[in-house]
Amino acid sequence: MCRFLKCACLLSAVVGVEASLARADSLTPVPFQEVHIKDGFWSKRIHTNRTATIEANLHQCEVTGRIRNFAVAGKLEKGKHKGLLFDDSDLYKVLEGIAYTLSNQRDAELEKRTDAIIDQIAAAQQPDGYLNTYFTLVEPQNRWKNIQYGHELYCAGHLIEAAVAYHQATGKRKLLDVAIRLADHIDRTFGPGKKVDTSGHEEIELALVKLYRATKQERYLKLAQFFLDVRGDKSKRRLFGEYAQDHKPIREQDEVAGHAVRAMYLYCGMADVAGITGDRPLIDAITKIWRDVVERKMYVTGGIGPSASNEGFTAPYDLPNDSAYAETCAAIGMALWNHRMFLMSGNGKYADVLEREVYNGLLSGVSLSGDRFFYVNPLGSKGRHHRVPWFDCSCCPTNIVRYIPGMGERVWAQRDNGLWSVLYTSNTATIALKDGKVKLIEKTNYPWDGDMEFTIEPEQSFAFDVHLRIPGWCRSEPTLSVNGEKAKVEIEAGYVRLHRMWKKGDVIRLSLPMPVQRVYADPHVKADVGRVALQRGPIVYCLEGVDNDGRVRNLCLPKGSKLSEKFDKDLLGGVTIIQGEALAVARPKEKLETEKVSFKAVPYFAWDNRRPGEMIVWLAEEPEGVELPSTEGVFVGGLRIRASHINSTDTLGELTHSSEPKSSKDHAIRRMTWWDHRGGVEWLSYGTTKPRKLTGASVYWFDDTGIGACRVPAEWRLLWRDGNEWKPVQLLKSERYGTALDRFNRVSFEPVTTSELRLEVKLQSGFSGGVLRWLVTEEK
């Protein structure tokens, strides 16, 4: 299992899932134009997106030259290209978000501004249909020559998505015609007997399927299949490797690997094609990959991709908290993929993951004010991680812009004479079923409570099915009624089905019990052993220093602590908080001391919207597991590990692992560094309750030359505690303190009996340093 409640089980109520995935009669999302979200949780966020997020992103696209690049490429203005080679995609995503926004509420001024931008985009298109401002202005001789890193197909995909959305929202074809000409150019360039290659950053695949659905032109579907089929096929082309999910044919892949966002967009394309074609090997592959992600590589917040070095995946269960990368774009990709998996299968477990994403690791990517953004979404902070207005690479802000106003597409799904709820929110939807149209009015205060009311208004009475999702987090029996009469709750594949002759004015009421739940990680997740997280409904909670006297990382939450919830309309725009009693832990001397304190937890998505300070999701259940300041130490396997300083994203808890790193630059494992201390003397120490007889030590240094500013130390030594005095150990003859890279540096010394051994380093001038492993030899 992943980081989910062990007994709630996201994978529960799955009946015949393997067979159901192959059905040709996939569900269809009710179009965003037909679902009007009003009042409640998502209405507020869509409004903020319209009034703040779009404006913030349009402003940045203007001042950074992203819009002007098209005017220059179209010879409307003179100048040079500004920015990165994939910056076109940022503007396209903003336009897609504007399209969904205009569908929710038409805005003449915003539409006029958008049409003017579209005119510049159209002007930049070349006579043969090619469109990319970077390669047009900077490297015209290298069009389609740098497929691995050039992002031409990636940018084209985002243009197609924006064009389809804008046409659906406004009926205007100009941008869609631009996208069609570009897609036709790509179709003339790539394919069997033409250029045989695939995208370095996936996106074009899912976009071509959208274009196929919008135009009914089968060549776009076939081109999407081509890009999928040649990925990983070394008999046809040079492969890009695991980073781009291009290490083996996609139907042979069974676990997630590489860059997280690339992976999610690939799986979206695979799901789209499989949902249309019923391709069994493709379905089998993405089903296996999904299980690998959800059961072994996903955070409780829905975040994915723990590593900054590849912006992606590492080993199973490697889910550190403070250093979690968990890119906002990756969470959006995970949401997009799981929505597609749900539509392909009708199984509620995929909608459960979608819900986990949108209420936690995705929504945390934007501030409540809508104009500041996270690129990275850690599950713990010492107060130094904050949202910012923009990034040089601003894929995340622009992805938020397009995702939030498109929520209407994720509320309902349909097939024949059946309706499926996907995400619960107050809305009014008009849905064309096989035998007639149905208007649905949903009222709810979800996610703050689990009560829903659905008023059914068919044009005329007829029989159809209403499937209501019972989320995996709901462990108690829901209550369900139709027109005041209690209905039986029989859950299959995460849904309860209501079939009857529906008439105008029929009312369904569903109530999902929503107590506070304690969530435990799989024991393989070393970072969370002995720790607990709090969840209520779909919302994961965290503790912030601003609510808890400035400190939260010194708190433990004993198993017997009583927990309660309360809605606070004045806090963070109105949220339900969790309250209870915890223990504040300190070590003024040798022994730990605890004090009972009250605590307050807030939704994770809302953290860092007030005064800066500490944050934590996973709380220790025992005082010994609490993280005290580095000079006070952490306890690992009977050792008290301390440091003079440690970077907020690092850990002391992995130093004693006996496994050898791949290299001194190994970013796939957890490390400790003294960053951002440069030069000077720093130290680490291992302490025990009872003295031990020690005879040697081995150190594997961390050195990220070429990437960062950590180097092996200028020199180092070992000291042992003798009472209140620190004494250097006496190395054996011919022994020396080594600083070699990519291996353990071992030393032996005259035996010492001590309760604490210290590793002291002198950092190189201008540089910091770090340690991957430090092992000590004890004489038994």
Side-chain angles (χ1 to χ4, degrees), residues 163-164 167 172-181 211 214-215:
V164 170
H167 177 251
K172 297 179 179 179
R173 283 194 59 94
K174 188 166 191 176
L175 191 61
L176 181 62
D177 289 338
V178 169
I180 288 172
R181 285 194 292 272
L211 191 59
T215 64

Side-chain angles (χ1 to χ4, degrees), residues 115-165:
D115 289 342
I117 293 171
I118 290 171
D119 288 342
Q120 295 179 68
I121 292 172
Q125 189 162 41
Q126 302 303 295
D128 63 355
Y130 182 84
L131 179 55
N132 184 287
T133 66
Y134 176 83
F135 283 95
T136 296
L137 294 172
V138 182
E139 297 184 50
Q141 74 281 9
N142 289 326
R143 289 187 356 177
W144 304 126
K145 291 183 180 179
N146 184 13
I147 305 301
Q148 184 171 3
Y149 298 114
H151 285 74
E152 290 161 283
L153 291 171
Y154 170 80
C155 290
H158 279 302
L159 169 62
I160 291 169
E161 287 202 87
V164 170

Side-chain angles (χ1 to χ4, degrees), residues 318-331:
D318 177 31
L319 296 167
N321 293 309
D322 284 14
S323 64
Y325 198 71
E327 184 181 337
T328 299
C329 279

Side-chain angles (χ1 to χ4, degrees), residues 458-656:
E459 285 186 338
Q460 69 278 329
S461 297
F462 69 101
F464 58 91
D465 294 333
V466 177
H467 299 81
L468 299 178
R469 184 171 63 90
I470 309 301
W473 56 258
C474 183
R475 295 188 291 159
S476 302
E477 176 92 10
T479 58
L480 179 67
S481 68
V482 179
N483 297 331
E485 293 186 14
K486 189 174 181 179
K488 192 173 183 180
V489 178
E490 293 182 345
I491 303 171
E492 182 175 343
Y495 277 84
V496 59
R497 171 177 169 264
L498 295 170
H499 176 82
R500 61 184 285 150
M501 180 73 70
W502 297 96
K503 65 182 186 303
K504 198 167 188 176
D506 283 342
V507 176
I508 304 170
R509 287 187 174 86
L510 173 66
S511 183
L512 304 172
M514 199 178 277
V516 178
Q517 297 175 348
R518 299 174 74 104
V519 182
Y520 294 92
D522 186 292
H524 290 93
V525 182
K526 294 176 182 177
D528 298 329
V529 172
R531 294 181 174 272
V532 64
L534 300 177
Q535 181 173 331
R536 181 177 180 271
I539 303 288
V540 174
Y541 281 75
C542 70
L543 276 66
E544 285 194 274
V546 65
D547 299 309
N548 297 281
D549 294 326
R551 292 189 66 189
V552 293
R553 299 169 71 92
N554 66 323
L555 301 181
C556 80
L557 186 63
K559 291 184 178 181
S561 297
K562 291 184 178 180
L563 304 170
S564 63
E565 72 273 3
K566 182 182 76 171
F567 186 78
D568 188 336
K569 64 181 178 60
D570 298 318
L571 181 66
L572 297 166
V575 298
T576 295
I577 62 172
I578 295 175
Q579 297 173 308
E581 192 174 83
L583 295 178
V585 183
R587 186 190 294 275
K589 296 181 181 178
E590 288 297 316
K591 282 191 173 185
L592 288 175
E593 294 184 2
T594 62
E595 177 187 3
K596 289 183 178 181
V597 294
S598 297
F599 77 87
K600 178 194 294 184
V602 298
Y604 170 79
F605 75 78
W607 84 277
D608 194 47
N609 277 284
R610 296 169 291 167
R611 189 171 70 244
E614 295 182 353
M615 183 275 289
I616 192 168
V617 171
W618 290 93
L619 290 159
E621 288 193 313
E622 299 290 341
E624 290 75 14
V626 163
E627 176 193 322
L628 297 174
S630 57
T631 52
E632 294 185 36
V634 299
F635 285 84
V636 178
L639 286 178
R640 179 190 179 189
I641 306 176
R642 301 192 300 149
S644 56
H645 169 73
I646 182 172
N647 179 258
S648 62
T649 63
D650 294 334
T651 182
L652 298 171
E654 305 284 313
L655 290 169
T656 59

Side-chain angles (χ1 to χ4, degrees), residues 263-280:
M264 294 304 106
Y265 287 3
L266 170 63
Y267 305 151
C268 285
M270 291 168 67
D272 281 339
V273 170
I276 294 169
T277 64
D279 184 327
R280 184 72 245 177

Side-chain angles (χ1 to χ4, degrees), residues 230-239 246-249:
V230 299
R231 183 171 294 279
D233 188 345
K234 63 183 179 182
S235 70
K236 295 181 178 177
R237 43 177 291 278
R238 179 184 66 84
L239 302 187
D246 191 31
H247 52 299
K248 64 172 74 172

Side-chain angles (χ1 to χ4, degrees), residues 187 190-192 196-199 204-210 212 217-233 236-237 249-251 266 268-282:
D187 190 38
F190 292 86
V196 177
D197 217 335
T198 193
S199 54
I204 188 66
E205 302 85 356
L206 69 90
L208 285 168
V209 175
K210 279 193 175 184
Y212 158 71
Q217 295 296 313
E218 195 168 338
R219 66 180 181 276
Y220 302 133
L221 176 62
K222 288 183 177 179
L223 185 57
Q225 289 176 290
F226 164 78
F227 283 130
L228 292 175
D229 290 343
V230 299
R231 183 171 294 279
D233 188 345
K236 295 181 178 177
R237 43 177 291 278
I250 57 172
R251 292 169 182 81
L266 170 63
C268 285
M270 291 168 67
D272 281 339
V273 170
I276 294 169
T277 64
D279 184 327
R280 184 72 245 177
L282 201 57

